[in-house]
Amino acid sequence: MTTLQHSKTASAVPEHAAWAGAQIILLAFVERTVGLGAPGWLAGISYAVVTWSLLGYALQRTGGALGPADRVTLGRGVLVGSVTAIVVDRVGEGVPTAMMVAFTAVALALDCVDGQVARRTGTSSALGARFDMEVDAFLILVLSVHVAFSFGPWVLAIGAMRYVFVAASWAFPWLRADLPASYARKTVAAVQGVLLVVAASGVVPFSEHLVGFALATLLWSFGRDTAWLFRHRVVTVAGTVAPVRRYVHV
């Protein structure tokens, strides 16, 4: 590691500690406001430790540093940690809906901010984009767990789909290839969080139909991307690596 990289990594340590402190403060606020038991504290603290540890490891590997957009994503991460604590603490019943929905709504709103900040400050990075995606994926997983208690275990498919896709990529390396940018994919991803939090709020009748629509769009999006990756996969042929181009005309 170069001196500059070591300096960047070292400077990130107190910042990580500050964000971990922010997580504890927000959890304490939840406890004073609506109550938070040992399971909630354990879930919130565990989330914070795992998040900061993985982010610190990624920064060390890449020699990068936190940018303005990454700090916005970290703020979202603190909110997601608190939502996780609330859901785990009151799993299946008695969840303080108003606070959970408020934290989730702010986290989802800030999802539109960090990308804008990255582009306007010229600090976009692969690590920042991945961090943003993982925060989104985990929030959707937590929300799907909560909503599943009302509508059934099928809702868990929404939160699990991203992780099933990653697990499948271990067996099928062609699933790890880069996908072309897609506005439809981003829209579908955003819809999941919005419709799940609407369902969690309990203020909209027939919310299970909205959640069903969210799952249908997600299946379509993952199916389309998987088909594209399959058609453009790279395989080994007679000792050489060659791309396979198979286009299915419908």
Side-chain angles (χ1 to χ4, degrees):
M1 181 183 293
T2 66
T3 302
L4 179 58
Q5 290 175 332
H6 178 77
S7 176
K8 287 181 178 180
T9 303
S11 65
V13 173
E15 187 164 4
H16 285 190
W19 283 108
Q23 183 73 83
I24 293 173
I25 291 171
L26 192 55
L27 291 174
F29 171 77
V30 173
E31 181 181 27
R32 291 293 299 272
T33 306
V34 298
L36 190 67
W41 273 102
L42 180 60
I45 296 298
S46 298
Y47 169 89
V49 170
V50 171
T51 299
W52 313 145
S53 298
L54 291 176
L55 182 59
Y57 175 72
L59 288 170
Q60 185 175 13
R61 283 193 61 188
T62 62
L66 294 174
D70 300 323
R71 295 183 175 93
V72 175
T73 306
L74 277 169
R76 293 178 56 228
V78 170
L79 292 169
V80 173
S82 299
V83 172
T84 302
I86 291 171
V87 170
V88 171
D89 194 59
R90 310 281 185 87
V91 62
E93 57 182 28
V95 172
T97 302
M99 178 171 285
M100 185 194 69
V101 169
F103 285 170
T104 302
V106 174
L108 292 174
L110 288 176
D111 191 24
C112 301
V113 174
D114 49 14
Q116 291 288 337
V117 171
R119 286 186 289 271
R120 293 188 179 186
T121 59
T123 55
S124 299
S125 68
L127 175 60
R130 178 65 181 273
F131 181 37
D132 178 65
M133 179 175 61
E134 296 301 341
V135 169
D136 289 340
F138 193 77
L139 175 58
I140 291 172
L141 175 62
V142 172
L143 290 175
S144 68
V145 169
H146 173 63
V147 175
F149 281 98
S150 298
F151 301 147
W154 62 270
V155 181
L156 295 174
I158 295 177
M161 203 167 301
R162 153 73 182 161
Y163 299 99
V164 170
F165 185 85
V166 171
S169 71
W170 299 340
F172 304 101
W174 50 268
L175 287 172
R176 303 174 202 165
D178 293 331
L179 286 161
S182 170
Y183 181 77
R185 186 188 309 119
K186 293 178 180 179
T187 302
V188 168
V191 161
Q192 306 307 306
V194 172
L195 294 185
L196 282 172
V197 76
V198 167
S201 70
V203 299
V204 177
F206 308 110
S207 294
E208 64 271 22
H209 299 302
L210 295 178
V211 178
F213 172 75
L215 177 57
T217 60
L218 193 63
L219 287 168
W220 169 81
S221 181
F222 270 94
R224 188 185 68 152
D225 286 345
T226 301
W228 188 94
L229 290 169
F230 180 78
R231 292 197 304 267
H232 296 79
R233 73 194 188 284
V234 175
V235 297
T236 302
V237 179
T240 62
V241 176
V244 172
R245 297 285 185 257
R246 292 181 182 174
Y247 296 94
V248 178
H249 299 280
V250 178

